[in-house]
Amino acid sequence: MSTVRVRFAPSPTGGLHLGGVRTVLYNYLFARQHGGQFILRIEDTDQTRFVPGAEQYIQDCLAWCGLIPDESPAHGGNYGPYRQSERKAIYLPYAQQLVAAGQAYYAFDTPEELEAKRKAVPNFQYSHATRMEMNNSLRLGEAVTKELLEKNTPHVIRIKMPENETVTFTDMIRGEVSFNASQSDDKVLLKADQMPTYHLAVVVDDFLMKITHAFRGEEWLPSAPVHVLLWKYLFGLDKMPQWAHLPLILKPDGNGKLSKRDGDRLGFPVFAMNWTDPKTGEQTKGFKEMGFLPAAFTNLLAMLGWNDGTEQELFSLEELVQKFSMERVHKGGAKFDFEKAKWYNHEWIKRLGVEGMRQVAASQLQEHGIAAEADYTNKVIALVKDRCTLLTDFWQESKFFFETPAQYDLPSVQPKWNDKKQQFFVEIIRQFELMQFWNATDLEKEFKEMMAVHELKPGDVLLPLRVMLVGGKSGPAVFDIAAVLGKEETIARIKAMMKLLQLQK
RNA sequence: GGCCCGUUCGUCUAACGGUUAGGACAUCAGAUUUUCAUUCUGGUAAUAGGGGUUCGAUUCCCCUACGGGCUACCA
């Protein structure tokens, strides 16, 4: 049994989509599980769609997810180059071989002619039914073809799809799939610029790169017979990789493939990382910048179309490597649910140690121009971490630890404020000042004793205290907050708001 | 239109042909936290329809419906 080799083969045309990352993930898991290699191959055969920076961006996304290829344009390898544009010369001989064998032919029809034809004939297909009406070597004959070729007439090479042949192959997810070869049209294999189309390039490169298993989105299923035929003609079916056509990731509402537009429309990311279109300057949010943990991202992606058969939902990448199996991948597409995605992230944040949150916290503090002691920040993280669904929630959840509240929720305190409470806080300040140990337990004890003395109920003074310290009604336990804030700051904040309350009177 | 693929709670999904059709997200109710979030407890909620095969069908087969994908010198 040869070494497992799989590849992810994106074209560098823009942001990396959820579905793309999931394909990467499944490839990666499969490779690791079988001790094989995972290859990144850039399919940049269409110059017109090439977007500068997109390739680097893809590499960055994979790196962020922790799905590092073993071979790629950046990493090199023994089967390079890994950019199809740099392999251009490789494909022509294979196409010519097919022509020589009568399995493909030259076609001289110009794009304009084809367009006109498609306009004139509804549902026009360049196939066995129509190919003898077109300008190709099949109709023109050898002599004319030779002449045209010698005159450098622009031409493409098309596969000649057989008329009466059923193409059958076994898909790892779907089982046996059959197509009538004549249903497919005579796909272009080599374009006029001598670049291969996807159809020729995948087959040739998968062979040359010794790919053993080929995973791709379901949208490729209809063209699979072309690829199977090409394998048969060129290299032999016994060498063909095992195919798996992955189900699509669908939009949450309605139906259809999830697209970037859906994300914009519904307010969630679709790309792994922020992407800026170099042409339009248009920016698209990514999961990374939105505050997702890579572990959560890969986890949630893995579960979109796969499960291990148990009720477990939280899997680390290592666990996925162990447990993943292509046989348990679904056939049907899955609607993407951002709420569930956030749940995964929250779970992963909760699993994260204070250590893991440090970087995130530091950069958010820096963003807001705050310089805080590491020790202090750690205490805050410990208190606030589990309250964050997204990493980016950190600042919102913790800012009152780093700056005095800009505003106080007076309306929820003021109406019930009275001299009795005023007196209580005057004395609690004095009491706090005297305290030797400053920790949540002692603070709470002192506070409650004082409450008893003043015959106040917790409800009377706990909320005011919270508003004094936080500015609003949310946050962790009040005495925990006071403990972290420290004696000086706590007292200062109590005084500050009492002053405000006085002024209102 | 043609070809192909698919269909279990609103969503992601589980269920060797035998289960009170299970879990999770969301949602609702209650408890805890005298706040908010977390957490806990409980509830609502599904096998698209019709035919077969079978003692027995969510599961196998056929038809219908619905949904999706593809139908470029794009991938």
Side-chain angles (χ1 to χ4, degrees):
Chain A
M1 186 65 190
S2 55
T3 325
V4 164
R5 288 174 59 80
V6 299
R7 82 296 192 272
F8 177 57
S11 54
T13 52
L16 184 59
H17 188 270
L18 273 182
V21 184
R22 194 193 52 181
T23 305
V24 176
L25 179 63
Y26 286 4
N27 269 291
Y28 175 89
L29 296 175
F30 190 84
R32 285 291 162 274
Q33 183 171 75
H34 293 93
Q37 285 113 40
F38 166 53
I39 292 124
L40 173 67
R41 182 174 72 216
I42 301 295
E43 309 228 336
D44 55 350
T45 54
D46 186 359
Q47 271 103 344
T48 61
R49 294 214 309 160
F50 177 80
V51 176
E55 180 187 319
Q56 182 59 47
Y57 168 86
I58 290 168
Q59 301 252 24
D60 293 344
C61 288
L62 300 199
W64 175 63
C65 294
L67 308 172
I68 313 289
D70 300 298
E71 299 167 27
S72 79
H75 299 82
N78 295 327
Y79 299 86
Y82 293 92
R83 248 176 235 118
Q84 286 181 335
S85 60
E86 293 170 14
R87 303 169 64 81
K88 188 175 175 184
I90 294 174
Y91 308 102
L92 177 63
Y94 289 106
Q96 285 170 333
Q97 178 193 327
L98 290 167
V99 175
Q103 292 152 338
Y105 58 90
Y106 296 106
F108 302 95
D109 318 271
T110 65
E112 295 73 33
E113 284 167 359
L114 287 171
E115 203 184 318
K117 190 85 182 175
R118 272 189 271 267
K119 231 178 206 167
V121 185
N123 300 322
F124 172 76
Q125 278 219 308
Y126 207 123
S127 68
H128 65 95
T130 57
R131 62 169 83 104
M132 292 315 278
E133 311 160 10
M134 309 298 289
N135 287 322
N136 53 53
S137 56
L138 260 25
R139 186 180 66 103
L140 269 19
E142 214 169 307
V144 181
T145 301
K146 201 176 164 205
E147 200 187 314
L148 284 168
L149 252 26
E150 274 164 7
K151 282 197 291 189
N152 279 326
T153 315
H155 63 274
V156 301
I157 294 179
R158 286 180 182 270
I159 186 172
K160 185 182 169 192
M161 293 300 282
E163 232 173 290
N164 288 307
E165 191 173 330
T166 301
V167 178
T168 302
F169 68 96
T170 304
D171 185 281
M172 291 172 80
I173 296 169
R174 281 150 224 282
E176 197 165 281
V177 189
S178 325
F179 293 83
N180 187 334
S182 66
Q183 299 297 345
S184 179
D185 56 349
D186 290 351
K187 295 273 184 241
V188 170
L189 264 21
L190 204 75
K191 305 185 233 184
D193 63 0
Q194 304 255 295
M195 274 287 197
T197 59
Y198 174 82
H199 307 294
L200 214 217
V202 244
V203 172
V204 169
D205 285 344
D206 281 352
F207 170 75
L208 261 19
M209 295 185 180
K210 296 202 161 61
I211 300 303
T212 57
H213 301 262
F215 310 145
R216 62 191 353 177
E218 191 189 352
E219 69 267 25
W220 288 108
L221 205 45
S223 51
V226 176
H227 308 146
V228 172
L229 238 29
L230 249 20
W231 269 98
K232 182 175 148 189
Y233 295 157
L234 254 17
F235 310 114
L237 255 16
D238 55 318
K239 303 254 178 27
M240 185 169 75
Q242 279 200 260
W243 297 102
H245 290 88
L246 273 22
L248 267 14
I249 296 179
L250 277 16
K251 55 186 73 188
D253 58 340
N255 291 298
K257 248 203 297 195
L258 178 70
S259 73
K260 188 179 84 63
R261 293 206 84 79
D262 299 312
D264 299 342
R265 182 169 57 85
L266 272 8
F268 60 80
V270 166
F271 292 157
M273 287 169 60
N274 275 6
W275 166 252
T276 307
D277 189 301
K279 261 206 192 102
T280 62
E282 186 198 356
Q283 291 211 1
T284 311
K285 268 243 176 206
F287 278 86
K288 180 187 177 208
E289 290 81 0
M290 191 92 175
F292 275 79
L293 247 17
F297 189 51
T298 48
N299 191 168
L300 74 92
L301 246 25
M303 304 310 285
L304 238 37
W306 173 87
N307 69 82
D308 77 338
T310 72
E311 280 169 6
Q312 184 176 350
E313 293 193 272
L314 265 17
F315 294 88
S316 67
L317 200 54
E318 295 71 41
E319 259 178 301
L320 287 172
V321 167
Q322 276 182 23
K323 298 184 175 171
F324 181 76
S325 72
M326 206 43 91
E327 289 70 28
R328 286 198 66 89
V329 174
H330 272 190
K331 296 186 179 84
K335 289 186 185 177
F336 179 67
D337 180 1
F338 190 54
E339 289 307 315
K340 185 100 188 207
K342 284 194 289 191
W343 175 78
Y344 278 106
N345 203 52
H346 193 184
E347 290 303 314
W348 276 99
I349 288 180
K350 286 195 275 185
R351 288 178 156 210
L352 203 63
V354 169
E355 207 54 33
M357 193 80 177
R358 245 231 201 86
Q359 270 307 107
V360 180
S363 74
Q364 285 185 40
L365 291 179
Q366 200 182 357
E367 235 173 79
H368 290 89
I370 303 251
E373 304 252 328
D375 195 42
Y376 182 80
T377 308
N378 284 352
K379 284 186 198 158
V380 174
I381 293 173
L383 234 41
V384 150
K385 183 175 66 74
D386 290 4
R387 305 172 63 85
C388 300
T389 298
L390 299 169
L391 259 19
T392 41
D393 292 340
F394 178 76
W395 173 250
Q396 197 50 243
E397 291 290 339
S398 71
K399 59 180 178 185
F400 56 85
F401 283 108
F402 302 99
E403 48 184 36
T404 45
Q407 278 190 332
Y408 292 96
D409 183 1
L410 283 174
S412 42
V413 180
Q414 178 101 52
K416 289 179 216 151
W417 192 254
N418 54 33
D419 291 343
K420 202 174 169 189
K421 291 185 187 177
Q422 173 80 18
Q423 196 50 39
F424 170 84
F425 276 98
V426 169
E427 283 185 41
I428 203 76
I429 289 172
R430 204 167 328 165
Q431 196 61 34
F432 278 179
E433 273 166 348
L434 291 172
M435 278 182 71
Q436 290 218 325
F437 303 103
W438 192 262
N439 59 61
T441 329
D442 288 337
L443 281 167
E444 184 167 0
K445 209 177 113 218
E446 289 295 341
F447 198 86
K448 293 212 162 141
E449 278 170 12
M450 187 68 77
M451 272 178 354
V453 171
H454 285 254
E455 294 179 316
L456 281 162
K457 290 195 291 282
D460 298 329
V461 280
L462 233 35
L463 184 70
L465 178 63
R466 170 175 296 278
V467 176
M468 287 166 177
L469 301 185
V470 177
K473 288 191 283 189
S474 68
V478 229
F479 298 108
D480 285 333
I481 296 174
V484 171
L485 243 23
K487 184 192 272 195
E488 209 178 308
E489 181 66 16
T490 301
I491 292 170
R493 288 191 187 184
I494 295 174
K495 282 181 176 170
M497 184 155 136
M498 283 174 73
K499 201 178 269 175
L500 274 179
L501 286 164
Q502 287 298 91
L503 284 174
Q504 297 286 321
K505 283 233 156 172

